[in-house]
């Protein structure tokens, strides 16, 4: 027993000595966590460089867009073919995907050799070889003549501009085929396949093996957003935010980025970590100076690294008594399988002895221990470096999501990761140490990236089908210039109808006279109250107007809520509520006793007989108070004030918000003769020549006409452009058949429901597209209507070219990102002889109502004199 312990002690001591010897010799290859954190930071910087438009051309880590924007969502289905080139084996696959809600699929594969003369021959032969293998596969699987979509896994750096196109940037690993670099490998494959009449495939997607691996694992685990290959070569991809990818249009959603991290350090960024062995290996490789990171990590190179180290140690007498063998001098003589065998937990040392003996090296026990440790250091460094770069990607994902802690899944494949005895465990351990705030699941891809390529094709299919449905749903919203011209002409016709006595009654555009005949001339002065009802907010305002040199308008206002039950209650309740708000305001301003003149902005269609009389034609927007339609709203307000019997007001004017807006802007710009509201509702007014207004006496001067263009089309004149969604929204509205300028939001919701969208990231992009289509149409229609009005003004003035200002207000115009621009562009296109300035009303129509009140008062006083 004592002898056994003595033996064990001897062996442990001997082992420690050898390990120390090798640790000293390969000191530079043993990377501390600080060094790994530094590599992580360097790689994070490289990623940013690769994503940047200006920095990408000089970046070594190319961050190639893959045009894969979404992971499988389980609704994919169908039969797909896939070919997988670039790893240690060339494979052809048939993938059946079933949308049975159980994420089930069936994979049939066949492996084909990759002879040296093919992978180091010329391009035409390579693609012909792929086509012949595919022909053989389809024959084997009785798929000849069956039209099938195909996903092409091509594991080399390709610059893609779309999913089914990719230009090879450079060969890597053991591939070096002439005439392929800088060409589109998809069209080369298509050409080769076309030579075979028995094959009828549609190459729909080109994917990198990392992307294929992520998709394969993503089919089983929707959290998988990273794909990692540690095999013949090494590389990783991950889902990046579109807003960070300068090289691709769009900011919405995410896209998978193929990092091509193998090239990390090709600009010298890792030279302080590369050893003489790395430099020697690189010089002897197929592509010196490139893929330097890969050459420190992947299985194509680790065996050779070990050989170079053993060779130098032997020459320095540290191994095998300094006796070198021919085999040890031979490049490529030690392969990854040898390194893995030597590192096996139990039989590692005996494997080492066997392998070294096969290399004619007659190793001692010390030699075996030392050589085994050389393998450990080389493969450990590989796992460490991989972990550092992966940790950089995980950190970026967590930061993109603005999370303190993140759970995610990394899909992995590759011979080194799968077959090396310790590699996976080491990698997981180091990653978790480097990014403790990431809860990472490592998911091994069992079916290979070919399935992933089929998934990408299936998703492309699903997205293409969805695109078709979206285009079909949105097509009616795309209005051509001709259609807009037609709308403009129809609006013009309706304007004329509304102005003519015999047609006014049946006109859908009511063209209501406002009895506002003048715009402010700067002599207005005094204190005025104003109410502003009908927009998003109900406001009560006190407006102080100064005239002369110190001409100015001061406003104090308070916003009050109008609860739904008041908006849709009784008329009495509504006006009592309005008076209540006035009372609160007067209280708040301490002017309860003052009998101030009041201008009432009432943003609904009112037939007026004078400036202070207005009969409600019909409620619009969200209002539906009873006993109001057909009533004079000024009387109803006076009634309510009387009912309250607390204060008295001199209601001088009732104006539409379009008129108030025109006045507010007219006070600054006398050229402003049009008022436009694009908000909860939409409407426009303009100064019309009295001679054209047949329902009002007099031919001199102008009067502001409240067009109430919201009713445009209620007579069916634009049914040709109204979509089924418009009809549905109308039927569900408070006043079906009226006001066809319905609220855009409702249409969006209806369309999304019909597209059967619940809420994934993909959906948000579609949601945005639907919103874009609906709001663009709204702005274009608004533009077409306005073009009709400015054209009429131009003709009224009988001028070739008209300069005019439009005062505009409303949350849609103010807040929507594109509405105002599309509106301006449409008017410019449809009324080229009109130079239209859009002036945003900062102060709201309440100020305008006060100005109208002031003008009315001024005219009244002049009349008195
Ligand atoms: C299996 C994948 C394939 C990838 C390979 C990498 O299906 O696309 O290229 O892993 O590992 P290797 O065969 O190079 O060890
Ligand atoms: C602000 C005006 C108000 C008008 C409103 C329309 O002061 O009179 O009704 O704009 O915009 P909305 O609030 O409906 O978006
Ligand atoms: C290639 C990558 C590939 C990786 C793993 C590298 O040499 O450049 O495109 O993903 O090997 O196969």
């Amino acid at each position: 027993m004592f002898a056994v312990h003595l033996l064990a002690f001897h062996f442990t001591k001997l082992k420690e000595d050898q390990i120390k010897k090798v640790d000293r010799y390969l000191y530079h290859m043993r990377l501390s966590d600080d060094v790994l954190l530094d590599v992580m930071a360097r790689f994070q910087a490289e990623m940013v460089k690769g994503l940047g438009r200006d920095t990408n051309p000089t970046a070594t880590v190319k961050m190639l867009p893959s045009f894969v924007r979404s992971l499988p969502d389980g609704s994919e289905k169908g039969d797909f073919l896939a070919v997988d080139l670039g790893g240690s084996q060339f494979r052809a696959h048939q993938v059946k995907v079933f949308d049975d809600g159980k994420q089930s699929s069936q994979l049939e594969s066949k492996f084909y050799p990759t002879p040296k003369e093919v992978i180091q021959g010329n391009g035409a032969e390579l693609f012909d070889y792929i086509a012949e293998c595919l022909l053989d596969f389809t024959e084997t699987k009785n798929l000849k003549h069956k039209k099938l979509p195909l996903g092409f896994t091509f594991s080399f750096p390709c610059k893609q501009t779309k999913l089914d196109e990719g230009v090879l940037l450079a060969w890597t690993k053991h591939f070096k085929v002439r005439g392929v670099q800088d060409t589109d490998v998809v069209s080369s494959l298509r050409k080769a396949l076309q030579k075979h009449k028995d094959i009828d495939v549609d190459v729909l997607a080109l994917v990198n093996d990392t992307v294929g691996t992520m998709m394969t694992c993503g089919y089983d685990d929707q959290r998988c957003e990273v794909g990692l290959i540690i095999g013949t070569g090494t590389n990783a991809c991950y889902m990046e935010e579109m807003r960070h990818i300068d090289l691709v249009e769009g900011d919405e959603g995410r896209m998978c980025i193929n990092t091509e991290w193998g090239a990390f350090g090709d600009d010298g960024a890792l030279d302080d970590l590369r050893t003489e062995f790395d430099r020697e290996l690189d010089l002897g490789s197929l592509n010196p100076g490139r893929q330097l990171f890969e050459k420190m990590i992947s299985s194509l190179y680790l065996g050779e690294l070990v050989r170079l180290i053993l060779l130098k140690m032997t020459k320095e007498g540290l191994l095998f008594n300094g006796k070198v063998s021919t085999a040890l001098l031979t490049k490529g003589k030690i392969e990854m399988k040898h390194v893995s065998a030597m590192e096996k937990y139990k039989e590692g040392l005996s494997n080492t002895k066997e392998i070294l003996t096969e290399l004619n090296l007659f190793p001692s026990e010390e030699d075996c221990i030392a050589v085994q440790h050389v393998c450990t250091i080389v493969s450990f460094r590989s796992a460490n470096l991989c972990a550092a770069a992966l940790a950089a990607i995980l950190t970026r994902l967590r930061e993109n999501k603005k999370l303190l802690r993140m759970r995610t899944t990394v899909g992995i494949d590759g011979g080194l990761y799968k077959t090396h005895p310790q590699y996976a465990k080491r990698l997981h351990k180091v990653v978790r140490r480097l990014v403790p705030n990431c809860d990472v699941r490592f998911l091994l891809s069992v079916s290979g990236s070919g399935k992933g390529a089929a998934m990408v094709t299936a998703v492309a299919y699903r997205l293409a089908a969805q695109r078709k449905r979206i285009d079909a749903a949105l097509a009616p919203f795309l209005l051509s210039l001709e259609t807009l011209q037609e709308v403009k002409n129809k609006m013009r016709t309706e304007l004329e109808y509304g102005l003519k006595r015999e047609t006014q009654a049946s006109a859908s555009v009511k063209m209501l006279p406002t009895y506002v005949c003048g715009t402010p001339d700067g002599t207005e002065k005094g204190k005025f109250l104003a109410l502003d009802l009908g927009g998003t907010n109900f406001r009560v305002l006190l407006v102080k107007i100064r005239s002369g040199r110190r001409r100015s308008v001061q406003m104090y206002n308070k916003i009050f809520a109008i609860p739904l039950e008041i908006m849709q209650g009784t008329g009495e309740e509504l006006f009592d509520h309005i008076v209540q708000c006035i009372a609160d305001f007067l209280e708040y301003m301490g002017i309860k006793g003052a009998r101030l003149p009041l201008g009432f902005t009432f943003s609904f269609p009112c037939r007026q007989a004078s400036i202070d009389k207005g009969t409600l034609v019909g409620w619009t927007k969200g209002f539906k108070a009873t006993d109001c339609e057909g009533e004079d709203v000024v009387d109803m307000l006076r009634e309510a004030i009387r009912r309250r019997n607390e204060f008295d007001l001199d209601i001088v004017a009732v104006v539409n918000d379009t008129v108030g807006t025109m006045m507010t802007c007219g006070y600054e710009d006398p050229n402003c003769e049009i008022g436009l509201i694009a908000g909860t509702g939409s409407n426009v007014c303009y100064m019309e020549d009295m001679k054209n207004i047949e329902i009002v006496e007099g031919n001199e001067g102008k009067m502001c006409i409240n067009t109430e263009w919201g009713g445009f089309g209620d007579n069916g004149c634009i049914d040709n452009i109204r979509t089924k969604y418009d009809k549905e929204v109308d039927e569900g509205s408070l006043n079906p058949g009226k006001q066809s300028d319905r609220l855009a939001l409702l249409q969006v919701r209806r369309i999304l429901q019909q597209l059967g969208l619940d809420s994934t990231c993909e959906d948000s992009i579609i949601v945005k597209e639907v919103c874009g289509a609906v709001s663009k149409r709204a702005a274009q229609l608004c533009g077409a209507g306005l073009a009709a009005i400015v054209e009429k003004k131009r003709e009224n003035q009988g001028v070739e070219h008209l300069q005019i200002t439009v005062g505009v207000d409303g949350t849609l115009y103010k807040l929507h990102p594109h509405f105002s621009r599309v509106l301006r562009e449409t008017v410019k296109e449809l009324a080229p002889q009109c130079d239209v300035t859009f002036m945003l009303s900062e102060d709201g129509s309440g100020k305008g109502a006060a100005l109208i009140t002031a003008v009315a008062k001024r005219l009244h006083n002049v009349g008195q004199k």
Side-chain angles (χ1 to χ4, degrees), residues 227-469:
L228 174 60
I229 294 286
I230 311 172
T232 316
T234 183
N235 188 17
C237 72
Y238 72 102
M239 294 302 282
E240 176 61 78
E241 307 297 328
M242 279 296 290
R243 65 179 182 278
H244 297 150
I245 307 173
D246 288 1
L247 299 174
V248 180
E249 281 310 305
D251 285 342
E252 296 294 328
R254 303 197 295 172
M255 179 182 281
C256 181
I257 290 289
N258 164 16
T259 66
E260 284 296 338
W261 74 13
F264 179 27
D266 285 10
D267 59 355
L270 294 174
D271 279 1
D272 58 333
L273 298 180
R274 294 183 58 232
T275 65
E276 60 179 298
F277 307 110
D278 297 308
R279 286 187 286 278
E280 193 179 344
L281 176 142
D282 175 47
L283 290 174
S285 71
L286 269 181
N287 52 353
R290 284 189 314 101
Q291 299 293 103
L292 299 181
F293 189 59
E294 176 164 82
K295 287 167 182 167
M296 299 164 91
I297 291 175
S298 71
S299 66
L300 186 61
Y301 306 104
L302 294 193
E304 181 61 5
L305 262 180
V306 167
R307 184 187 72 82
L308 292 171
I309 294 166
L310 299 186
L311 181 57
K312 189 148 187 282
M313 287 179 78
T314 308
K315 285 182 181 165
E316 291 174 6
L318 293 168
L319 288 173
F320 320 121
N321 295 325
K323 287 204 190 60
V324 175
S325 71
T326 318
L328 191 57
L329 286 164
T330 311
K331 194 165 109 174
K333 204 61 185 171
I334 297 180
E335 297 172 36
M336 190 64 223
K337 63 181 180 192
H338 299 128
V339 176
S340 297
M342 291 195 265
E343 284 199 72
K344 276 229 168 0
Y345 186 59
K346 284 215 169 52
E347 59 279 25
L349 271 181
S350 58
N351 289 346
T352 306
K353 188 169 184 66
E354 200 183 309
I355 290 165
L356 294 174
T357 308
E358 275 162 20
L359 295 170
N360 293 328
L361 288 166
F362 311 101
S364 65
E365 193 153 18
E366 291 88 339
D367 290 332
C368 291
I369 293 167
V371 169
Q372 184 186 48
H373 194 49
V374 168
C375 294
T376 300
I377 289 181
V378 169
S379 64
F380 218 131
R381 181 184 71 162
S382 162
N384 278 340
L385 288 170
C386 218
L390 180 59
I393 289 178
L394 295 169
T395 303
R396 187 172 175 84
L397 270 173
R398 183 179 57 73
E399 287 167 356
N400 280 354
K401 298 178 185 184
K402 300 190 176 42
L403 296 173
L404 290 178
R405 203 171 172 76
M406 175 185 74
R407 259 189 82 183
T408 192
T409 298
V410 174
I412 304 190
D413 207 336
L416 174 51
Y417 179 87
K418 285 197 283 196
T419 60
H420 185 285
Q422 333 271 352
Y423 200 100
K425 220 168 54 240
R426 286 176 186 159
L427 178 78
H428 303 172
K429 207 159 152 223
V430 180
V431 170
R432 291 186 176 127
R433 218 172 45 234
L434 293 176
V435 281
N437 44 16
C438 290
D439 183 349
V440 187
R441 177 189 181 204
F442 292 91
L443 181 57
L444 183 61
S445 160
V446 283
S447 11
S449 68
K451 176 179 170 185
M455 279 303 148
V456 170
T457 316
V459 171
Y461 240 56
R462 170 169 62 78
L463 293 179
Q466 199 175 50
R467 166 55 45 201
K468 267 214 197 82
R469 290 207 333 265

Side-chain angles (χ1 to χ4, degrees), residues 531-537 539 541 601-603 621 656-658 660-661 664 676-682 808-815 841-847:
L531 304 179
D532 185 351
L533 178 75
T536 317
N537 303 309
R539 280 173 271 229
L541 307 92
T601 299
F602 184 77
S603 310
K621 292 172 275 189
N656 185 265
D657 53 354
T658 55
T661 299
T664 298
L676 170 69
I677 293 288
T680 321
S682 174
V808 58
D809 205 336
T811 42
L812 181 53
Y813 184 91
K814 279 194 240 182
L815 305 181
S841 159
E842 302 297 350
D843 303 322
S845 66
K847 171 181 170 182

Side-chain angles (χ1 to χ4, degrees), residues 529-647:
L529 271 180
L531 304 179
D532 185 351
L533 178 75
T536 317
N537 303 309
F538 169 50
R539 280 173 271 229
V540 181
L541 307 92
L542 173 66
V543 182
K544 294 183 183 169
I545 304 175
R546 279 218 181 98
S547 60
R549 255 174 337 92
R550 291 169 55 213
R551 174 178 184 275
S552 69
V553 174
Q554 248 182 323
M555 288 188 346
Y556 309 87
N557 77 85
K558 209 161 180 286
I559 292 178
F560 295 89
I562 304 273
L564 192 64
E565 62 275 14
I566 296 284
M567 284 161 85
Q568 300 178 2
T570 67
E572 196 161 303
E573 285 162 344
L574 172 63
F575 281 88
D576 285 347
H577 179 78
I578 292 170
V579 171
Q580 168 65 53
C581 299
I582 297 171
D584 294 356
F585 181 74
L586 295 176
E587 181 82 39
Y588 168 78
M589 295 298 291
I591 52 172
K592 202 140 213 168
R595 185 172 185 281
L596 291 174
L598 179 135
F600 183 13
T601 299
F602 184 77
S603 310
F604 304 93
C606 284
R607 197 173 296 289
Q608 293 189 249
S610 65
I611 192 113
D612 64 347
K613 279 187 133 346
T615 303
L616 176 60
V617 175
W619 285 117
T620 63
K621 292 172 275 189
F623 280 70
K624 198 78 185 156
T626 57
D627 326 317
C628 296
E629 290 175 346
E631 299 300 325
D632 184 302
V633 291
V634 176
D635 287 348
M636 293 187 78
L637 181 57
R638 287 197 180 111
E639 263 320 298
I641 292 169
R642 252 194 301 280
R643 266 195 305 277
R644 189 177 182 89
N645 192 20
E646 203 181 301
F647 54 82

Side-chain angles (χ1 to χ4, degrees), residues 67-81:
F67 292 83
V68 170
R69 296 169 188 265
S70 53
L71 298 167
D73 69 356
S75 67
E76 294 75 22
K77 64 178 180 300
D79 255 12
F80 303 89
L81 283 176

Side-chain angles (χ1 to χ4, degrees), residues 487-505:
V487 171
K488 176 192 154 197
N489 299 342
K490 285 181 178 169
M491 176 63 87
R492 179 57 187 272
T493 311
E494 293 296 318
L495 297 178
E496 301 296 352
Y497 278 164
L499 287 171
K500 299 254 174 311
R501 184 178 301 284
E502 67 272 7
T503 50
Q504 207 279 337

